[in-house]
Amino acid sequence: MSTTALNDLSRFPIVQAPMAGGPSCPELVGAVCEAGALGFLAGGYKTAGGLYQEIKQVRGLTSRPFGVNLFMPQDGRPADPSAVEVYRHQLAGEATWYDTPLGEADDSRDDAYDAKLAILREDPVRVVSFTFGCPEPEVLASFARVGTFTIVTVTSAAEALAAERAGADAVCVQGVEAGGHQGTYRDDPADDGVPGTGLLALVTQVRERVGLPIVATGGIMRGAQIAAVLAAGADAAQLGTAFLGCPESGAHPLHKRALTDPLFTRTALTRAFSGRPARGLVNRFMREHGPYAPAAYPEIHHLTAPIRKAAAAAGDAQGMALWAGQGHRLARALPAGQLVEVLAAELDTALSEIAHRSAS
């Protein structure tokens, strides 16, 4: 593994993924950092003030470096209102079943991006990452001036090149195996159904074209898999689903249990809950509505938010967005600090075995 500023941020080359919507809470981030990995707060779906308060909470739990992830604003044309309205009518039965009104689809498209940038520049954290696009060079340069390390999520070598040219310090290479939203720059419905690129192949493609440090993410649940992505050219591995079931995670208990529940046998990419491709456990809502959901992010996210909240309150996992990567059945309900230690030990064992085989 190469020595980079990225590797100096934590003892182990292990990153806890920023999981928006609640899982990446201060308690999880603090525990991960204290154990020697790099924890991330998810800035998505929060107000700027709410994010600032969570940053303060993490600082009260650890003095070690941690990161904050931001969603890039959706600058393209708003979704087709007629397509959103058709989907609204389709969800009328869900609203009746859960006795809740649907959300307003015209809520904010920028996720308070500028206000969050201002907070993170005025009171810097050690790392800021970006998803759903690449910031302008001036934004990345402004973070460099205050000593913040920047990472841009990419899903192709072309996106990685764009991030490098814009001035990012590193890229987070996301394979198709990853749970939650795909971080692609371009959300094109024409790509729906097209097989994505697996993590090992994607890391190799990016490594051969880009000189930046690489954080590899997608389906990683064991230390041996971390060793594999390091061997492929990554500098660190980012794990999300692996930390989802930790007691410190802010994920709903139903979500945690679903990871290893035999009832949920597979994952799939869907637009059903947010209007953007995201990988989750296949449940009733995904099966019934996924084929008809339009490419309309964040409009569909706002539209379905009350349904998802009501389903959770009713104890009905079939109406929730159960984001999870392809390795979800390997989840371990360990305290976050213990999980970091186990992953690090597994990584050390795997690297030793590789060295032994090489020497034989």
Side-chain angles (χ1 to χ4, degrees):
M1 186 173 62
S2 62
T3 301
T4 66
L6 172 65
N7 301 140
D8 296 335
L9 295 168
S10 59
R11 179 182 173 193
F12 304 121
I14 299 171
V15 179
Q16 165 251 309
M19 295 171 282
S24 296
C25 58
E27 293 77 11
L28 178 63
V29 176
V32 165
C33 292
E34 284 296 289
L38 179 63
F40 259 92
L41 278 177
Y45 308 137
K46 294 185 178 81
T47 65
L51 176 60
Y52 179 66
Q53 291 303 316
E54 290 201 354
I55 290 172
K56 288 177 61 178
Q57 290 177 48
V58 174
R59 286 175 170 152
L61 295 170
T62 183
S63 60
R64 303 192 182 195
F66 65 94
V68 171
N69 175 260
L70 299 181
F71 286 168
M72 291 295 296
Q74 303 303 291
D75 292 331
R77 291 181 301 170
D80 179 358
S82 62
V84 175
E85 193 60 24
V86 167
Y87 197 56
R88 175 185 289 276
H89 284 296
Q90 182 178 332
L91 296 179
E94 300 284 351
T96 300
W97 177 257
Y98 291 112
D99 192 23
T100 185
L102 295 170
E104 294 301 321
D106 58 353
D107 281 356
S108 171
R109 290 178 59 81
D110 69 358
D111 202 43
Y113 178 71
D114 288 334
K116 291 171 183 176
L117 288 181
I119 287 172
L120 292 168
R121 285 189 289 233
E122 291 169 10
D123 191 6
V125 298
R126 290 292 299 278
V127 193
V128 172
S129 67
F130 301 87
T131 301
F132 300 154
C134 183
E136 294 295 323
E138 175 48 37
V139 170
L140 295 170
S142 71
F143 278 113
R145 287 193 291 270
V146 297
T148 297
F149 191 89
T150 54
I151 304 174
V152 175
T153 304
V154 301
T155 61
S156 69
E159 290 178 350
L161 281 168
E164 183 175 48
R165 290 165 182 158
D169 293 312
V171 289
C172 180
V173 176
Q174 183 191 46
V176 72
E177 305 95 332
H181 284 95
Q182 293 287 293
T184 179
Y185 293 6
R186 187 186 75 155
D187 179 19
D188 188 345
D191 294 333
D192 290 359
V194 177
T197 304
L199 181 59
L200 285 177
L202 188 56
V203 166
T204 304
Q205 292 172 17
V206 173
R207 178 76 294 153
E208 292 189 356
R209 297 188 65 185
V210 172
L212 296 177
I214 291 173
V215 179
T217 190
I220 301 173
M221 303 292 288
R222 296 287 188 266
Q225 293 172 291
I226 299 174
V229 295
L230 297 182
D235 297 271
Q238 178 173 285
L239 294 78
T241 306
F243 286 101
L244 200 59
C246 294
E248 298 91 342
S249 159
H252 193 282
L254 287 174
H255 193 170
K256 294 181 181 184
R257 291 198 294 270
L259 296 175
T260 54
D261 187 336
L263 182 65
F264 300 100
T265 59
R266 64 187 180 92
T267 66
L269 290 170
T270 185
R271 295 182 182 272
F273 296 101
S274 72
R276 213 179 205 278
R279 183 174 298 282
L281 301 174
V282 176
N283 61 2
R284 178 194 59 78
F285 193 100
M286 189 189 296
R287 286 192 298 269
E288 292 183 2
H289 302 293
Y292 311 105
Y297 178 87
E299 289 86 352
I300 301 304
H301 164 78
H302 296 309
L303 188 68
T304 66
I307 293 175
R308 291 179 274 122
K309 184 177 180 180
D316 183 7
Q318 296 296 334
M320 298 168 60
L322 303 172
W323 302 140
Q326 288 183 344
H328 65 95
R329 299 304 294 273
L330 298 171
R332 298 175 282 201
L334 298 173
Q338 184 180 347
L339 179 57
V340 170
E341 293 171 359
V342 169
L343 289 167
E346 291 173 346
L347 170 61
D348 187 60
T349 297
L351 293 176
S352 296
E353 290 176 352
I354 292 171
H356 177 73
R357 292 191 194 109
S358 298
S360 298

